[in-house]
Amino acid sequence: MMESVGVYGFCGCTAKNKMKCDSRWEVTATETAPTSAYSSPARSLGDTGITPLSPSHVVNDADSNVSEQQTFLVVVAIDFGTTSSGYAYSFTKEPECIHVMRRWEGGDPGVSNQKTPTTILLTPERKFHSFGYAARDFYHDLDPNEAKQWLYLEKFKMKLHTTGDLTMDTDLTAANGKNVKALEIFAYALQYFKEQALKELSDQAGSDFENSDVRWVITVPAIWKQPAKQFMRQAAYQAGLASPENSEQLIIALEPEAASIYCRKLRLHQMIELSSKAAVNGYSSSDSVGAGFAQAKEHVRRNRQSRTFLVENVIGEIWSELEEGDKYVVVDSGGGTVDLTVHQIRLPEGHLKELYKATGGPYGSLGVDYEFEKLLCKIFGEDFIEQFKIKRPAAWVDLMIAFESRKRAAAPDRTNPLNITLPFSFIDYYKKFRGHSVEHALRKSNVDFVKWSSQGMLRMSPDAMNALFKPTIDSIIEHLRDLFQKPEVSTVKFLFLVGGFAEAPLLQQAVQAAFGDKCRIIVPQDVGLTILKGAVLFGLDPAVIKVRRSPLTYGVGVLNRYVEGKHPPEKLLVKDGTRWCTDVFDKFISADQSVALGELVKRSYTPAKPSQLVIIINIYSSEHDDVSFITDPGVKKCGTLRLDLTGTSGTAVPPRREIQTLMQFGDTEIKATAIDIATSKSVKVGIDFLNY
């Protein structure tokens, strides 16, 4: 016999939300429990009596529940990176051809411009001006006083990861210190990519390409919390890529998953297996891959000219070595974050199962930039560097561009020093600020591995440059070590190193040294485009990832029959002579539980009073598994199902009206539905982490 359960009727709201609550019924003093005054959300409960008709169960009928899929002519994937971004596309009739976007105007010496910097420039009136190299170069050419009026933003994606209480109103700070709405900036950036991609598709087709013909895929880090993933979807809606009514047109793809999907297709000439010898710019110099190296270089040269990658509709050679149940790790190391994902092969189709929930942290290549900034503060003083960034923002951008190209030249076996050009305005402003020269500051600083060159450059020894990488690389290795301790990861066959930071020979060497004896370490060629190409493949076949791990515990707020000694006295609510325990968290699915694609959890409830015509079910989430009450620390409201049954009084309704509640998991987004079985009235809701 099941306990009697009542879904939270209206208002399981927290104190701060109470003023906004549209509670239908009021609870009089005589209806609440006399035991104690308590700060329970249930205190303002109305007629909540909803009891279960059936036990909860999981239904794996994913296919029967999926509506007829919309067809699209083309899939366009946008890799929105912390440091650089780009797009690629494939026509659904030619899925084996992935086209990478047109060459970008501009570019830096020694840096491939198959992507463009994630930089955006707004006019002093806060209107969109330019993106990428165009934004950076225009900003650089502005008069310093005029530049202070313009809003220039770079590397802003990390704000979504680092902001604990992300909302639609979260601000970003431009280089001139002024604030601007994050949603606006992300929407401008996505709109820019939308226009670029549609223009290229139209040029190729010879006629205007409609947005409705495109399925869009946007990549996000797997370790992002749910609010950040939802934020990206909202920005895409604002940019006009899709709409809430046609949400299927946009897929949010997890970056390491996209990389994983692409790695399945790799042929031998499209990857480098790191040997114990030194890696140089992504390629091993060892004889064991000599032939592959020559092939790969030629392949890259051809690809860079054609921009079209052929993905053969077969399993790559490396994949053919994997057997049912084999495991591999994808380490996606980008500009802002490092994402680690563990997948298992399911044959014969080669579908993927996520074995261990995505982990990682803010250990991207930006960490190296922060170390360089700390070094500059040590030499020239933190007060000067802060002032310089505010007073000469364009010159600061120049300095970081100069550092970026030298950063890419760092290698384990490098012996000659690296020269970083200091902008003239840095030298000039320092002299005005301190009253002595940059050269004097270097002599005084006791930083003996950085010297002054008479050509106006900082001369860094290779060891000094390598030291800037060390904290970030150490964090990645430590995180991987922790991962390899987990039982699920103990028998991994391959480790795929992907993402822009994976190009760094120092990172390649560190990963090889630490884990080369545990598994084979593979770096795909054109490693910075792996996620982009995988995201296109994911858009062509979103069902390829069959099983994921739920990042959170989900449930609804319910009433259970109060049991003396089992339930806390402060949760007692007496209603029409019945003693209820309020605020109970009725779990649908647990954090880190395996969830099949499209998996449904169904529950059936019935209103206690036949006259009850509005039913509200509040959905909650938590990062913890052991949740008992919706008032437990860390539990957050993330959705409301409001089923209005007014106007159905003439319908023949059974005495125990069935309200079915369904939650669908396994996609990168989660959907909930409530259905009144008697009238087929239903209401759907996407889980919302930004507006509660």
Side-chain angles (χ1 to χ4, degrees):
M1 184 71 185
M2 275 193 71
E3 283 183 304
S4 189
V5 176
V7 169
Y8 244 67
F10 260 113
C11 169
C13 56
T14 55
K16 68 176 180 183
N17 284 338
K18 255 181 206 162
M19 294 304 288
K20 297 181 191 168
C21 174
D22 61 342
S23 181
R24 266 300 154 111
W25 302 282
E26 294 196 354
V27 180
T28 60
T30 56
E31 289 175 311
T32 44
T35 44
S36 63
Y38 55 89
S39 58
S40 163
R43 211 164 33 160
S44 56
L45 267 180
D47 273 346
T48 54
I50 301 180
T51 56
L53 281 172
S54 63
S56 63
H57 58 288
V58 171
V59 188
N60 286 311
D61 58 351
D63 298 331
S64 65
N65 204 53
V66 174
S67 57
E68 196 58 42
Q69 286 295 307
Q70 196 175 341
T71 53
F72 299 97
L73 296 179
V74 68
V75 169
V76 179
I78 299 171
D79 179 5
F80 197 123
T82 303
T83 49
S84 61
S85 299
Y87 67 86
Y89 58 92
S90 178
F91 294 97
T92 48
K93 286 188 174 159
E94 291 182 300
E96 67 285 351
C97 289
I98 298 174
H99 308 271
V100 175
M101 68 228 157
R102 292 190 251 223
R103 305 290 259 151
W104 298 97
E105 295 303 315
D108 300 321
V111 179
S112 160
N113 63 343
Q114 285 184 300
K115 287 190 186 172
T116 192
T118 309
T119 54
I120 194 165
L121 183 63
L122 306 190
T123 67
E125 296 75 41
R126 295 174 176 256
K127 296 276 181 270
F128 175 80
H129 180 272
S130 48
F131 187 91
Y133 288 115
R136 211 184 62 187
D137 295 346
F138 186 92
Y139 182 63
H140 167 267
D141 293 341
L142 285 170
D143 174 80
N145 288 322
E146 198 184 344
K148 289 178 200 167
Q149 305 307 312
W150 290 67
L151 288 91
Y152 177 82
L153 295 102
E154 61 177 357
K155 298 167 186 164
F156 48 84
K157 179 182 165 189
M158 274 301 280
K159 181 84 174 186
L160 298 196
H161 180 66
T162 55
T163 304
D165 54 347
L166 185 69
T167 70
M168 306 286 263
D169 293 321
T170 295
D171 282 331
L172 296 172
T173 305
N176 62 1
K178 291 182 180 171
N179 282 353
V180 60
K181 290 274 170 280
L183 189 68
E184 237 171 79
I185 295 299
F186 279 84
Y188 276 144
L190 291 171
Q191 192 176 354
Y192 170 79
F193 280 114
K194 174 190 159 193
E195 287 166 6
Q196 292 288 318
L198 287 177
K199 186 174 187 313
E200 181 170 343
L201 289 166
S202 298
D203 290 350
Q204 204 161 330
S207 60
D208 278 357
F209 222 88
E210 297 296 327
N211 187 61
S212 55
D213 295 328
V214 179
R215 163 165 264 168
W216 296 96
V217 182
I218 299 174
T219 62
V220 301
I223 54 162
W224 268 14
K225 293 202 178 343
Q226 298 301 108
K229 293 174 187 171
Q230 186 187 333
F231 186 96
M232 201 55 121
R233 180 169 278 276
Q234 292 301 325
Y237 289 160
Q238 193 162 314
L241 274 69
S243 65
E245 298 71 41
N246 192 16
S247 61
E248 306 299 316
Q249 190 178 359
L250 170 67
I251 296 174
I252 300 292
L254 306 180
E255 287 164 6
E257 281 191 358
S260 182
I261 291 162
Y262 180 69
C263 289
R264 294 165 71 224
K265 303 278 189 180
L266 285 173
R267 309 306 301 260
L268 285 177
H269 66 272
Q270 294 172 315
M271 62 195 170
I272 302 304
E273 184 162 353
L274 296 183
S275 73
S276 54
K277 296 196 181 167
V280 182
N281 294 330
Y283 296 108
S284 165
S285 56
S286 71
D287 295 335
S288 64
V289 287
F293 178 51
Q295 257 184 313
K297 278 214 309 198
E298 175 58 21
H299 194 76
V300 170
R301 191 188 63 73
R302 286 204 310 272
N303 275 342
R304 286 212 168 126
Q305 287 170 346
S306 70
R307 299 183 305 108
T308 299
F309 294 83
L310 285 176
V311 180
E312 293 162 62
N313 195 19
V314 292
I315 298 298
E317 285 105 335
I318 202 147
W319 216 254
S320 60
E321 295 180 36
L322 291 168
E323 297 163 7
E324 172 77 36
D326 276 351
K327 306 167 192 174
Y328 64 95
V329 176
V330 176
V331 180
D332 169 23
S333 44
T337 52
V338 166
D339 259 347
L340 314 177
T341 309
V342 186
H343 279 158
Q344 187 174 39
I345 306 298
R346 294 171 67 178
L347 296 175
E349 302 91 346
H351 287 142
L352 306 179
K353 174 182 179 179
E354 187 182 10
L355 267 194
Y356 187 74
K357 71 176 178 182
T359 60
Y363 319 130
S365 61
L366 276 188
V368 185
D369 298 357
Y370 294 144
E371 289 300 316
F372 178 60
E373 194 176 320
K374 273 161 62 179
L375 178 65
L376 292 176
C377 288
K378 192 173 175 184
I379 297 169
F380 303 108
E382 197 172 333
D383 54 343
F384 166 72
I385 295 297
E386 286 310 310
Q387 274 302 300
F388 181 71
K389 282 160 80 172
I390 293 164
K391 299 288 187 191
R392 300 283 186 273
W396 174 255
V397 170
D398 275 357
L399 175 54
M400 292 313 288
I401 291 166
F403 174 68
E404 179 67 28
S405 70
R406 304 323 296 142
K407 182 170 91 174
R408 287 167 184 263
D413 50 0
R414 189 182 176 100
T415 52
N416 53 326
L418 296 122
N419 293 326
I420 298 159
T421 307
L422 283 182
F424 171 74
S425 62
F426 185 99
I427 298 165
D428 182 55
Y429 192 71
Y430 184 78
K431 187 148 195 178
K432 286 176 185 163
F433 190 88
R434 288 272 190 254
H436 57 247
S437 69
V438 163
E439 192 178 354
H440 177 81
L442 272 163
R443 276 203 309 273
K444 286 281 212 186
S445 69
N446 297 324
V447 179
D448 51 3
F449 43 77
V450 180
K451 303 286 184 213
W452 177 245
S453 145
S454 55
Q455 286 93 21
M457 296 178 182
L458 291 180
R459 177 167 289 173
M460 292 183 76
S461 71
D463 286 348
M465 179 61 90
N466 295 1
L468 299 181
F469 279 77
K470 193 175 185 314
T472 303
I473 289 177
D474 285 354
S475 295
I476 296 170
I477 299 299
E478 189 184 336
H479 209 89
L480 270 167
R481 280 216 173 92
D482 288 347
L483 185 68
F484 272 88
Q485 300 297 316
K486 306 278 186 271
E488 301 95 326
V489 191
S490 54
T491 54
V492 161
K493 238 183 192 179
F494 293 102
L495 185 152
F496 290 102
L497 197 55
V498 303
F501 195 28
E503 293 172 358
L506 289 164
L507 177 60
Q508 292 178 10
Q509 186 202 46
V511 171
Q512 173 62 31
F515 306 104
D517 58 340
K518 291 186 172 64
C519 57
R520 289 165 64 186
I521 293 160
I522 307 288
V523 182
Q525 55 100 326
D526 264 355
V527 66
L529 297 176
T530 306
I531 290 156
L532 194 47
K533 291 183 271 187
V536 173
L537 294 172
F538 184 54
L540 292 165
D541 180 18
V544 66
I545 306 276
K546 286 293 185 196
V547 180
R548 284 194 176 85
R549 294 270 170 168
S550 175
L552 298 171
T553 297
Y554 291 96
V556 295
V558 304
L559 298 172
N560 276 2
R561 282 290 175 91
Y562 188 84
V563 179
E564 208 72 53
K566 176 186 173 186
H567 294 134
E570 67 272 16
K571 297 294 182 190
L572 175 62
L573 175 76
V574 179
K575 188 95 174 91
D576 298 337
T578 304
R579 291 156 65 82
W580 296 103
C581 176
T582 69
D583 301 340
V584 175
F585 187 104
D586 191 23
K587 201 182 290 182
F588 270 61
I589 206 155
S590 298
D592 204 28
Q593 189 175 326
S594 279
V595 193
L597 182 71
E599 192 165 294
L600 290 174
V601 179
K602 278 186 191 177
R603 307 266 167 108
S604 288
Y605 302 102
T606 185
K609 287 188 177 181
S611 60
Q612 190 174 322
L613 292 176
V614 178
I615 290 149
I616 286 200
I617 300 166
N618 286 323
I619 303 162
Y620 296 87
S621 67
S622 172
E623 290 182 17
H624 307 292
D625 183 25
D626 53 342
V627 186
S628 303
F629 297 99
I630 62 167
T631 50
D632 287 356
V635 176
K636 290 179 180 161
K637 186 171 162 188
C638 59
T640 298
L641 286 162
R642 186 177 190 278
L643 191 57
D644 190 341
L645 304 178
T646 49
T648 60
S649 50
T651 315
V653 175
R656 300 191 76 201
R657 185 173 206 146
E658 183 179 355
I659 306 296
Q660 203 172 70
T661 308
L662 306 94
M663 283 183 82
Q664 187 171 20
F665 297 92
D667 195 355
T668 44
E669 277 98 27
I670 295 151
K671 300 172 183 78
T673 310
I675 306 163
D676 175 34
I677 298 301
T679 61
S680 298
K681 260 202 170 188
S682 70
V683 60
K684 290 185 180 182
V685 67
I687 303 299
D688 187 345
F689 294 93
L690 292 171
N691 296 310
Y692 284 99

